[in-house]
Amino acid sequence: MRVQHAKQNFMNNFDFRPVLNQGVAIPAHPLALDARRKLDERRQRALARYYMAAGVGGLAVGVHTTQFAIRDPEAGLFKPVLELAKEEMDRALRPLVRIGGICGMTGQAVAEAALLRELGYHAGLLSLGALRDATAGGLIEHCEAVAEVIPVVGFYLQPSVGGRVLPQAFWRRFAEIENVVAVKIAPFNRYQTLDVVRAVIEAGRDDIALYTGNDDSIVADFLTPFRFEGKERRILGGLLGHWSVWTKRAVDLLDQCRGADATPELLRLGMEVTDSNAAFFDAANGFRGCIAGLHEILRRQRLLEGLWCLDENEALSPGQMQEIDRVCRAYPHLNDDDFVATHRDEWLR
């Protein structure tokens, strides 16, 4: 009992910022449902156990890959899903960075931030998708309100899936908010990626961690030295829905890329990762099948029973299954099927 109490005290006093700033792999946690589209608690826990066994540095829960519809009153899943992940992270052998998704208008976002803080999450990944018509000043006020409650991870989400173009001037002001601890850069656009990195450098914020969410250029982001005004920064970690599958290999990939120079071999590997992501995320169809595509990989590994989403209309696009088949055949070195098969029954207990 004393050992467990000491472990809990250590977890509670864990300073997540140095870990976040060294760069870790953080998968965006999916939602496990049964055939009735109800929460499958056993498999939800198994997914968290899989990620922790794969060596991730943290989990992101209640984000896009977890399905935003968990917030619907009828679903009533937002708090239960956060609690399940918290319980599994409490059992981990090492402390993990705990990030929860935050969305909605300011009132909702502040309430979600308070819930995350109550449950022991370290930071909130702040989506601005609900404020599509807000001015830059209104966006900053929104971010400041949330940052008063919990440390904030900024989120540059690509417009094609609900984000908006955010100019460099916005990111410059955002980087001046004291309680901002990281930015997930996911515009799928090199110009806009540069805007974020430049803003953080110009703000003199060495303590803001840069994380990629650019699924089309994961390896390239890690290998690129970004230099502005004589100062250089690297994107050191990833917070990715793509990393909710084949996660053991994702952790290995980050280790391989950390501090490395670009080589033909690494650039080729980056192309293979991007090609796989295009199939999983259904890039050919505007990402409509992105969640179902990830579920399909987890179904093949028997971690999920099916592809069910809360929205009955969310499913694989025509031709997406064939694309998934193709990349699975083409890149066997990217999967962690053997690792999952060895431990799956243990995780599902």
Side-chain angles (χ1 to χ4, degrees):
M1 182 66 72
R2 278 197 294 268
V3 172
Q4 181 62 33
H5 182 67
K7 175 187 173 184
Q8 192 60 53
N9 282 338
F10 175 69
M11 296 292 189
N12 292 339
N13 295 323
F14 167 59
D15 183 0
F16 74 96
R17 287 175 175 85
V19 175
L20 195 65
N21 277 283
Q22 78 181 25
V24 292
I26 303 177
H29 203 307
L31 179 68
L33 299 176
D34 61 23
R36 299 175 300 141
R37 301 184 194 274
K38 301 297 183 182
L39 179 64
D40 187 333
E41 180 177 327
R42 174 168 162 260
R43 292 184 183 275
Q44 189 73 16
R45 291 184 183 276
L47 289 175
R49 294 167 185 171
Y50 161 42
Y51 301 137
M52 291 187 292
V56 304
L59 291 179
V61 189
V63 294
H64 175 260
T65 308
T66 327
Q67 302 179 44
F68 288 135
I70 61 174
R71 293 167 170 81
D72 293 345
E74 186 175 336
L77 291 176
F78 186 53
K79 185 176 181 181
V81 167
L82 291 169
E83 288 175 328
L84 285 177
K86 173 196 179 301
E87 290 171 8
E88 292 304 320
M89 287 189 281
D90 284 347
R91 298 187 178 102
L93 299 178
R94 65 189 187 286
L96 298 166
V97 177
R98 307 177 183 204
I99 296 176
I102 297 174
C103 66
M105 302 300 285
T106 303
Q108 176 183 338
V110 168
E112 291 186 2
L115 175 61
L116 292 176
R117 185 181 64 185
E118 175 190 330
L119 293 177
Y121 281 76
H122 298 123
L125 179 67
L126 181 57
S127 169
L128 301 177
L131 289 83
R132 297 185 63 83
D133 299 323
T135 64
L139 290 175
I140 292 297
E141 290 177 2
H142 175 82
C143 296
E144 289 174 336
V146 175
E148 289 179 2
V149 180
I150 196 168
V152 165
V153 177
F155 186 13
Y156 200 163
L157 177 64
Q158 59 167 318
S160 63
V161 291
R164 55 180 285 184
V165 174
L166 297 166
Q168 198 269 348
F170 164 80
W171 290 108
R172 181 67 173 78
R173 292 180 64 187
F174 179 81
E176 293 173 352
I177 299 174
E178 183 177 356
N179 213 19
V180 168
V181 295
V183 181
K184 172 180 174 173
I185 308 171
F188 289 32
N189 181 294
R190 303 318 287 166
Y191 299 117
Q192 293 160 6
T193 294
L194 290 176
D195 283 342
V196 178
V197 180
R198 179 182 149 211
V200 171
I201 288 176
E202 289 180 352
R205 291 296 300 272
D206 295 336
D207 59 330
I208 292 180
L210 299 176
Y211 273 64
T212 187
N214 286 323
D215 298 74
D216 62 344
S217 53
I218 296 169
V219 171
D221 274 356
F222 293 143
L223 298 179
T224 302
F226 296 87
R227 181 178 289 270
F228 294 98
E229 298 186 348
K231 298 179 181 178
E232 187 171 294
R233 292 290 302 272
R234 300 285 287 255
I235 294 175
L236 296 177
L239 197 169
L240 294 148
H242 181 74
W243 282 359
S244 68
V245 300
W246 295 356
T247 310
K248 182 69 169 66
R249 293 291 175 261
V251 172
D252 296 342
L253 173 69
L254 180 57
D255 288 342
Q256 188 176 356
C257 291
R258 186 175 284 112
D261 294 325
T263 64
E265 291 75 17
L266 283 174
L267 293 174
R268 183 174 60 249
L269 180 63
M271 178 280 296
E272 295 170 350
V273 172
T274 298
D275 192 25
S276 299
N277 177 269
F280 301 164
F281 270 64
D282 194 27
N285 296 288
F287 306 99
R288 284 194 295 273
C290 61
I291 293 177
L294 296 172
H295 287 187
E296 171 59 16
I297 297 300
L298 295 170
R299 185 198 65 80
R300 293 181 185 207
Q301 294 181 320
R302 294 168 53 201
L303 285 165
L304 292 183
E305 279 193 309
L307 311 188
W308 306 294
C309 297
L310 289 171
D311 182 349
E312 295 181 5
N313 296 314
E314 285 200 56
L316 294 176
S317 292
Q320 188 180 359
M321 184 72 83
Q322 289 74 21
E323 277 296 285
I324 292 174
D325 288 339
R326 179 185 65 82
V327 298
C328 287
R329 289 193 304 268
Y331 313 122
H333 53 287
L334 294 182
N335 77 55
D336 61 358
D337 292 352
D338 290 344
F339 172 72
V340 172
T342 300
H343 299 283
R344 181 183 53 243
D345 291 346
E346 170 190 343
W347 300 330
L348 284 166
R349 285 178 189 155

